[in-house]
């Protein structure tokens, strides 16, 4: 169903053909994870919720794949944590930008930023550098589902807390992110929404959750979980 949806979005011009390749890479890791949210992913999702809730100017960044996969939960998460939504594309055309922003608005989003970018992310020489001052440029915490590694690193270099959703724990994006979430996007969004609704509005609690987190340790746990799962499947062959 997901593949059919993405193919349909390619026909509508909202997703690029290269976006299908990107999705396939992530899908392979989801199989290795048993198509479920692993415990380390849940830890990252809780930390992400704490960062978003305590942010000065949180932003949910949306590209074609993310909008196609789960626009509703992207919008719901932004509403839950009080974040702005901004569309940012690598393969950027005025028609595609308008199409994606209109699509998000049709799904219930309020104001969606990105139509008229007036700033650039330093260190990038492609269209993903384009952003609005109100949103990405001035944010302190940003969620970037299905992100390019160079832009994730550029955002970190700007001093931003970068929360990524990328099934591959070894990708450039996961390595660069402040909070790398190795989980399928819909599961990750639903978990973050749940955590955001459950966490108390207590700055001390938020700080404790954030301070006790290590992105490298979390990615190590994800990799160990994948290896354990693979070995368990291999050993079944002897039964």
């Amino acid at each position: 169903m997901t593949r059919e949806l993405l193919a349909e979005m390619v026909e509508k011009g909202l997703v690029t053909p290269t976006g299908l390749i990107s999705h396939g890479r992530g899908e392979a890791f989801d199989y290795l994870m048993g198509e479920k949210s692993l415990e380390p992913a849940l830890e990252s999702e809780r930390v992400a919720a704490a960062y978003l809730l305590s942010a000065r100017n949180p932003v949910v960044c949306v590209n074609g794949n993310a909008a196609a996969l789960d626009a509703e939960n992207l919008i719901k998460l932004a509403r839950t944590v009080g974040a702005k939504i901004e569309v940012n594309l690598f393969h950027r055309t005025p028609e595609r930008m308008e199409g994606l922003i209109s699509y998000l608005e049709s799904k219930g989003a309020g104001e969606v930023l990105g139509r008229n970018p007036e700033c650039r992310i330093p260190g990038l020489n492609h269209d993903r550098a384009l952003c609005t001052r109100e949103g990405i440029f001035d944010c302190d915490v940003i969620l970037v589902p299905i992100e390019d590694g160079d832009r994730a690193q550029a955002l970190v270099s700007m001093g931003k807390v970068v929360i990524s959703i990328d099934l591959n724990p070894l990708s450039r994006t996961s390595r660069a992110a402040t909070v790398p979430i190795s989980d399928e996007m819909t599961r990750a969004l639903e978990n973050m929404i749940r955590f955001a609704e459950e966490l108390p509005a207590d700055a001390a609690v938020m700080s404790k959750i954030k301070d006790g987190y290590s992105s490298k340790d979390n990615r190590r746990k994800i990799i160990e979980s994948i290896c354990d799962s693979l070995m368990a499947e291999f050993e079944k062959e002897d039964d």
Side-chain angles (χ1 to χ4, degrees):
M1 290 174 63
T2 300
R3 292 171 185 169
E4 289 296 327
L5 173 62
L6 286 170
E8 178 184 334
M9 290 297 190
V10 170
E11 293 179 4
K12 292 180 178 179
L14 301 184
V15 174
T16 66
T18 55
L20 297 180
I21 298 171
S22 174
H23 178 77
R25 289 201 308 267
E27 199 173 51
F29 276 91
D30 202 18
Y31 294 153
L32 299 179
M33 295 174 183
E35 297 180 282
K36 62 184 179 182
S37 298
L38 301 175
E39 284 300 320
L42 291 168
E43 178 192 13
S44 287
E45 288 150 4
R46 186 167 183 261
V47 172
Y51 269 113
L52 289 165
L53 285 168
S54 56
R56 170 185 55 81
N57 182 26
V59 166
V60 172
C61 186
V62 180
N63 61 19
N65 275 37
L69 288 170
D70 200 344
E72 289 87 350
N73 273 317
L74 286 165
I75 294 165
K76 185 176 180 180
L77 176 65
R79 188 176 295 119
T80 302
V81 300
K84 298 181 176 74
I85 297 175
E86 182 163 341
V87 170
N88 179 275
L89 301 175
F90 186 89
H91 300 285
R92 181 189 180 105
T93 64
E95 295 77 15
R96 190 162 175 246
M97 285 293 296
E98 184 59 39
L100 280 166
I101 291 173
S102 297
Y103 177 71
L104 290 168
E105 290 172 344
S106 75
K107 293 293 184 179
E111 181 185 10
V112 179
L113 303 175
R115 282 187 175 97
N116 301 301
E118 66 270 60
C119 297
R120 293 186 67 90
I121 298 168
L124 298 179
N125 59 7
H126 49 69
D127 282 350
R128 294 218 77 176
L130 297 172
C131 63
T132 68
R133 181 172 299 279
E134 177 185 356
I136 291 172
F137 194 83
D138 192 44
C139 75
D140 55 337
V141 178
I142 183 168
L143 172 68
V144 287
I146 316 172
E147 182 59 84
D148 295 315
D150 58 345
R151 199 175 78 108
Q153 183 58 64
L155 290 167
V156 170
S157 297
M158 290 179 73
K160 303 183 186 304
V161 171
V162 175
I163 301 164
S164 66
I165 302 177
D166 188 326
L167 277 155
N168 180 0
L170 297 173
S171 71
R172 287 186 303 161
T173 300
S174 293
R175 294 200 305 268
T178 316
V179 183
I181 297 172
S182 297
D183 202 354
E184 186 273 330
M185 195 185 81
T186 291
R187 293 198 305 264
L189 293 171
E190 289 176 348
N191 290 335
M192 279 190 282
I193 291 166
R194 175 168 56 84
F195 285 128
E197 291 173 340
E198 292 174 354
L199 286 171
D202 187 316
V205 172
M206 299 292 185
S207 294
K208 185 176 180 180
I209 292 170
K210 293 183 289 187
D211 293 345
Y213 179 79
S214 165
S215 62
K216 188 170 184 179
D217 286 349
N218 189 275
R219 290 193 303 112
R220 180 184 291 110
K221 291 174 187 175
I222 289 285
I223 294 165
E224 288 172 349
S225 296
I226 290 172
C227 291
D228 290 345
S229 177
L230 287 171
M231 287 306 301
E233 288 299 318
F234 178 73
E235 288 169 359
K236 286 180 183 178
E237 296 178 11
D238 297 329
D239 295 341

